[in-house]
Amino acid sequence: MFRIAIVGAGPGGMSAAARAAELGVSHVLLEQSAAHANTIQRYQKGKHVMAEPNVLPLRSPLPFAAGVREHILEEWGAGLDRLGVNLRCQSEVTRIEGERGDFKLTLKSGESLRAEHVIFSIGVQGNPRRLGVPGDDLPCVQYTLDDPDDYQGETIVVVGAGDAAIENAIALARANRVFIVNRAEEFARVKDGNLSLILKAIEDETLGCFYKSSCVSITATAGAEAPYLLTLATPEGDTAVPCHRIIARIVPSTATRSSRPASTGSASTGSISARSAPRTPAGAGAAVAAAKDIVGAGFYGNGVPGWKGDIILELKSVADIALVGYPSAGKSSLIAAISSARP
């Protein structure tokens, strides 16, 4: 029996295992993919990996500084070997049962392990957010980009407006015709360097951009100028984009799903169901909390009664720290002060 079993060999899981190895604690680090740090492994070739927020002290025995993807993976691999971390790759955990002091972990291979304690560090790489439109299961749709140089002379659509989407689009545009799809009217919450690159590329017509647009459907078109057709909802109406490949780089999020079947008046997509309900005016709580004549924290008045029912939340993103507080308590200001995020 191991003292600790760590599920997931990303940066968090590797750090936990490295500390256990450093202290001589019996442990096993289980990773479902073929190598450590699967998320970084799937970054595009030569990608510069940021080390932010840089105000947080590094407590891991493994080294980490901003640098090229390949160098960081090499450094981490060397650190795991140096510390003697008990890493087992291609060991997907399918079931955990038991209680503190005696857990049983069953692997996909059928093998089982026992541990006194279990640490989860699984991230979201293995469960990417899908496009959620008809045709998103076609072979032209992919959710990662390993090496942009693998693609030459294609028409490629990148869906998303974050740093990963921008970096993919810029790299692919060197040898392909590229479009990027942005649901908003600007590229918000991206690094300044990436913002400059994408705006310049659009201005220079190195690539095209569909602002305030979203995917509607994907269909195969045998014998046409391109093997697939992506239909977009744009401000000018539905637009068809012939393409060879679609790379979806959309951020995982929390989905809401009703626990009962959708009825008249609801909007649903697959198993996702949502209803709109009357509510108090947006920002009303923050306005009251920020009022000068309010001595202590309080609550805004009751809103108009709305639909009642059970909602199932599926958390698609995982954070190390959560800030919970009243409106105008300074949560966004704190995040902005200690990181590069702009909440």
Side-chain angles (χ1 to χ4, degrees), residues 134-300:
D136 70 354
D137 56 347
L138 290 170
C140 64
V141 181
Q142 62 190 68
Y143 295 90
T144 59
L145 175 65
D146 295 335
D147 188 349
D149 294 335
D150 288 342
Y151 309 105
Q152 307 283 329
E154 293 187 352
T155 298
I156 302 175
V157 180
V158 178
V159 181
D163 288 304
I166 291 173
E167 290 164 4
N168 287 177
I170 295 293
L172 288 165
R174 291 194 296 261
N176 302 276
R177 184 186 183 202
V178 175
F179 297 95
I180 188 168
V181 178
N182 185 348
R183 293 184 62 181
E185 57 186 359
E186 61 181 4
F187 291 89
R189 302 189 182 189
V190 298
K191 296 180 176 65
D192 291 339
N194 283 334
L195 179 60
S196 299
L197 287 173
I198 190 65
L199 293 181
K200 186 177 187 305
I202 294 171
E203 182 181 359
D204 296 344
E205 298 185 353
T206 304
L207 55 79
C209 178
F210 290 96
Y211 286 105
K212 299 174 69 174
S213 302
S214 59
C215 299
V216 175
S217 64
I218 307 163
T219 54
T221 55
E225 61 176 296
Y228 298 97
L229 190 69
L230 170 64
T231 301
L232 297 173
T234 74
E236 292 76 30
D238 285 359
T239 299
V241 183
C243 60
H244 297 82
R245 193 174 311 278
I246 299 165
I247 301 177
R249 303 309 304 265
I250 45 183
V251 179
S253 64
T254 301
T256 60
R257 177 160 48 90
S258 174
S259 62
R260 69 182 187 181
S263 59
T264 303
S266 67
S268 62
T269 303
S271 63
I272 304 300
S273 178
R275 283 181 173 81
S276 60
R279 58 182 179 179
T280 54
V288 171
K292 294 181 179 179
D293 58 344
I294 300 296
V295 178
F299 293 91
Y300 194 76

Side-chain angles (χ1 to χ4, degrees), residues 18 23 87 121 158 177 215 274 311 315 321:
L23 298 175
L87 171 63
S121 182
V158 178
R177 184 186 183 202
C215 299
I311 295 292
L315 184 62
I321 300 172

